[in-house]
Amino acid sequence: MSERKQIEISKEKIEEQEKYIEMLHRKNEDEFIKTGKRKSFIIQTFGCQMNEHDSEMLISMLESIGYSRALSEDTADIVIYNTCAVRENAELKVYGNLGHLKSIKRKRPDMKIVVCGCMMQQEHIVEEIKAKHQHVDLVFGTHNLYKFPELLASTFESDKILVDVWDIDGEVVEGLKSNRKFDIKAFVNIMYGCNNFCTYCIVPYTRGRERSRKPKDIISEIEDLVKGGVREVTLLGQNVNSYGKTLEEEDRISFADLLRRVNEIEGLERIRFMSSHPKDISDDVIYAMRDCKKVCEFLHLPFQVGSTSLLKKMNRHYSKEDYLNIIKKAKEEIPDLAFSTDIMIGFPGETDEDVQDTIDICEEVRFDTAFTFIYSKRQGTPAAKMEDQIPEEIKHKRFDKVLSVINRISGEKNHLYDGKIVEVLVEGASKKDSSIMTGKSRQNKTVNFTGGDESLVGRLVNVKITDPKSFSLNGQLAEVVS
């Protein structure tokens, strides 16, 4: 498809939805004139940064329609659950929340209940909602988020549950607006979907296959964000290292080249990205991180397990030695680099020796942070059919053992910052104490400091660390950088 045709398709789709936004906005304004009360919404987001960014776009649509934010689900006119299919606990929370809303819906039948996101891309989940949660008004998936205004309008024409889940990947629709959680930081999708098919993971089935955005569209979005006051962007993709592979030849660039282009954007101060897959990260990406001053010294590189045999069973396409070689190269090129990772405990066939391999990697790499989680079966994945499943009791014991190592190392790493000066992008006042300001260092450390006030929000400051904790750094303002 030609670039011009793609632009026309995106424009047509956005314009069509704007008609529904205008119609619903007029409806809400008429009701406000009659009642003096604004309609309200609340969104609960489960899962990753991709889901968070999807919710930001849904919020922008709702506010354009005329909805304000509600304080709780009990009072909201629209409740939206943007779901995650990666962890079983997230699914159970969604079902629990839907059960809670059932009695509220009886008292306020005009309230709208919407369930969207990755869970909805699984047919058995949708069937369960239709059978057990008939008080839900709307169900849609990950491929047609841009159609939300049209789908919402349709719920006012029927008292039956509306299901609109697409089985195939749609085109990348450009031009959707976001209402960001922070004014100074923003998520920017550079690609959608995943082609890796790890045996435990449902993402390729819920997010679809890889589709990269054109570099000029990414650059244009970031330039507009910077004009609006954004100082830091996080580039998002299920596997950013494979960015560009699905682009037409005239647009195709590597992820390393994209980092270099984003680094040239005037006014932007910081660049982060996630997630990286070890099988695809190249030396060129490491060199780009080293050479681009705006790219933060922070690398999230999931290894999942330390056992090469389990990695093969997971279809990860790298070994324990491969992973450690990447870390070694990155440390040599970027001495101040901080690392985070994902660690899975309890994958089918895991032994005590495999767990020790995982601990060995943690001790050698010395991660600053790690997202440690217990494997849970995902229906439709190869791992769910494996016979050598690990008993829950053993999973939890192993999880606690690994977590204690991670927490110890994290505390030791943080205490190395005692007396050091770190650059912090100020995000606001601490929720616990308004006299204390908080923000993130370039290494993604949470830094709380005294000596500042709200006028510093969005500014870069230097902070002297005086009291490092296991999960944050405390200090005093040293100077304002910019």
Side-chain angles (χ1 to χ4, degrees):
M1 186 183 299
S2 69
E3 179 179 340
R4 182 174 180 179
K5 185 64 175 176
Q6 286 179 323
I7 293 172
E8 289 175 355
I9 289 174
S10 288
K11 185 177 180 181
E12 288 174 3
K13 289 182 175 180
I14 296 298
E15 288 178 348
E16 181 67 21
Q17 295 309 308
E18 286 176 348
K19 295 177 183 177
Y20 288 100
I21 289 174
E22 178 60 27
M23 180 187 73
L24 291 170
H25 185 267
R26 287 198 303 268
K27 174 182 169 67
N28 279 348
E29 285 301 306
D30 289 343
E31 290 195 27
F32 175 67
I33 292 171
K34 293 177 183 177
T35 65
K37 180 185 175 183
R38 289 283 180 199
K39 293 286 186 179
S40 63
F41 74 92
I42 192 165
I43 294 184
Q44 187 167 350
T45 308
F46 302 85
C48 66
Q49 287 84 356
M50 302 284 281
N51 282 28
E52 291 283 355
H53 190 37
D54 286 349
S55 289
E56 290 177 345
M57 288 186 277
L58 289 171
I59 290 170
S60 178
M61 295 177 201
L62 285 163
E63 291 184 341
S64 296
I65 291 168
Y67 287 89
S68 60
R69 294 181 189 246
L71 296 177
S72 73
E73 296 169 339
D74 294 0
T75 60
D77 295 289
I78 295 181
V79 176
I80 300 178
Y81 295 137
N82 188 2
T83 63
C84 172
V86 174
R87 309 279 182 266
E88 184 179 23
N89 284 345
E91 289 188 3
L92 294 176
K93 285 180 181 178
V94 171
Y95 288 135
N97 289 352
L98 288 177
H100 168 72
L101 291 181
K102 195 168 188 176
S103 60
I104 300 174
K105 179 81 168 180
R106 288 198 198 101
K107 297 175 184 176
R108 296 195 293 115
D110 290 339
M111 130 190 237
K112 297 295 181 185
I113 301 172
V114 180
V115 193
C116 61
C118 292
M119 272 179 68
M120 301 307 104
Q121 291 296 142
Q122 302 171 88
E123 187 176 353
H124 69 281
I125 298 286
V126 174
E127 291 303 316
E128 182 164 352
I129 289 177
K130 288 163 66 176
K132 298 181 180 180
H133 302 282
Q134 296 180 13
H135 55 296
V136 170
D137 296 279
L138 172 61
V139 170
F140 66 97
T142 59
H143 303 314
N144 56 342
L145 179 141
Y146 76 93
K147 282 188 64 179
F148 173 65
E150 178 181 350
L151 297 174
L152 179 61
S154 297
T155 66
F156 290 99
E157 305 298 324
S158 173
D159 58 359
K160 295 181 180 180
I161 184 171
L162 171 61
V163 176
D164 192 37
V165 178
W166 294 3
D167 293 330
I168 58 173
D169 317 332
E171 302 96 349
V172 175
V173 178
E174 298 288 351
L176 289 176
K177 298 178 181 178
S178 299
N179 186 303
R180 302 183 306 277
K181 187 175 181 180
F182 295 98
D183 290 332
I184 59 172
K185 303 195 300 183
F187 294 132
V188 176
N189 285 107
I190 65 170
M191 59 191 300
Y192 300 90
C194 183
N195 287 355
N196 290 314
F197 290 94
C198 301
T199 57
Y200 55 82
C201 187
I202 198 70
V203 168
Y205 308 97
T206 60
R207 286 282 177 180
R209 305 301 294 270
E210 283 180 5
R211 293 100 69 207
S212 294
R213 295 178 64 197
K214 287 182 172 59
K216 71 177 188 60
D217 292 329
I218 296 168
I219 298 300
S220 178
E221 179 180 349
I222 296 174
E223 288 175 341
D224 287 342
L225 288 169
V226 170
K227 290 176 184 176
V230 166
R231 307 202 74 187
E232 174 183 303
V233 295
T234 300
L235 309 179
L236 294 181
Q238 301 295 339
N239 176 16
V240 293
N241 296 314
S242 62
Y243 169 78
K245 292 181 179 179
T246 62
L247 292 172
E248 298 293 334
E249 188 173 350
E250 64 269 20
D251 293 311
R252 192 175 303 148
I253 64 172
S254 69
F255 178 59
D257 288 333
L258 180 67
L259 285 177
R260 293 185 177 98
R261 292 193 189 185
V262 175
N263 189 68
E264 296 173 359
I265 296 175
E266 292 187 13
L268 183 65
E269 295 286 351
R270 288 181 172 183
I271 303 166
R272 302 186 189 274
F273 59 87
M274 64 187 316
S275 283
S276 284
H277 197 300
K279 77 178 178 63
D280 291 316
I281 193 167
S282 65
D283 287 352
D284 200 24
V285 169
I286 295 172
Y287 297 148
M289 293 183 68
R290 176 197 65 193
D291 297 338
C292 296
K293 293 183 179 180
K294 297 176 183 179
V295 177
C296 291
E297 294 79 11
F298 176 76
L299 177 61
H300 180 71
L301 192 66
F303 74 89
Q304 304 300 351
V305 294
S307 163
T308 295
S309 61
L310 279 189
L311 287 169
K312 185 175 182 180
K313 197 173 178 180
M314 289 179 167
N315 195 38
R316 294 287 289 176
H317 297 286
Y318 57 87
S319 67
K320 175 181 179 179
E321 291 72 27
D322 293 334
Y323 185 87
L324 291 175
N325 285 335
I326 295 167
I327 297 294
K328 180 181 178 182
K329 176 74 174 181
K331 284 183 175 181
E332 289 173 349
E333 298 296 334
I334 314 166
D336 295 330
L337 190 61
F339 294 93
S340 72
T341 195
D342 293 345
I343 300 173
M344 179 185 293
I345 302 298
F347 185 79
E350 177 190 78
T351 65
D352 289 335
E353 290 75 17
D354 294 329
V355 175
Q356 188 57 50
D357 281 336
T358 292
I359 291 173
D360 290 345
I361 282 189
C362 294
E363 294 284 8
E364 183 165 348
V365 177
R366 297 186 62 77
F367 296 100
D368 294 75
T369 55
F371 302 97
T372 309
F373 56 94
I374 293 174
Y375 165 79
S376 59
K377 288 184 181 181
R378 301 290 79 197
Q379 185 172 325
T381 63
K385 300 175 183 177
M386 294 178 182
E387 295 181 356
D388 46 358
Q389 302 289 328
I390 307 299
E392 290 299 318
E393 182 181 354
I394 294 177
K395 287 182 187 178
H396 285 275
K397 285 182 180 179
R398 291 173 175 173
F399 175 86
D400 291 341
K401 182 178 181 179
V402 173
L403 186 62
S404 66
V405 173
I406 289 294
N407 289 344
R408 170 179 58 78
I409 293 172
S410 179
E412 291 170 355
K413 291 292 292 289
N414 275 4
H415 277 81
L416 295 176
Y417 283 85
D418 193 15
K420 290 186 176 181
I421 301 290
V422 298
E423 182 192 89
V424 177
L425 177 60
V426 185
E427 296 177 3
S430 168
K431 294 180 180 179
K432 296 181 180 179
D433 185 344
S434 60
S435 67
I436 297 175
M437 303 304 292
T438 187
K440 292 283 189 181
S441 73
R442 288 179 64 91
Q443 287 78 15
N444 209 39
K445 303 281 187 181
T446 297
V447 181
N448 306 306
F449 65 94
T450 58
D453 55 36
E454 294 279 357
S455 67
L456 294 177
V457 173
R459 308 281 294 276
L460 291 173
V461 301
N462 282 334
V463 174
K464 182 176 182 179
I465 304 304
T466 57
D467 182 24
K469 302 294 185 182
S470 293
F471 303 107
S472 63
L473 304 174
N474 298 329
Q476 298 174 339
L477 177 67
E479 65 175 332
V480 178
V481 179
S482 65

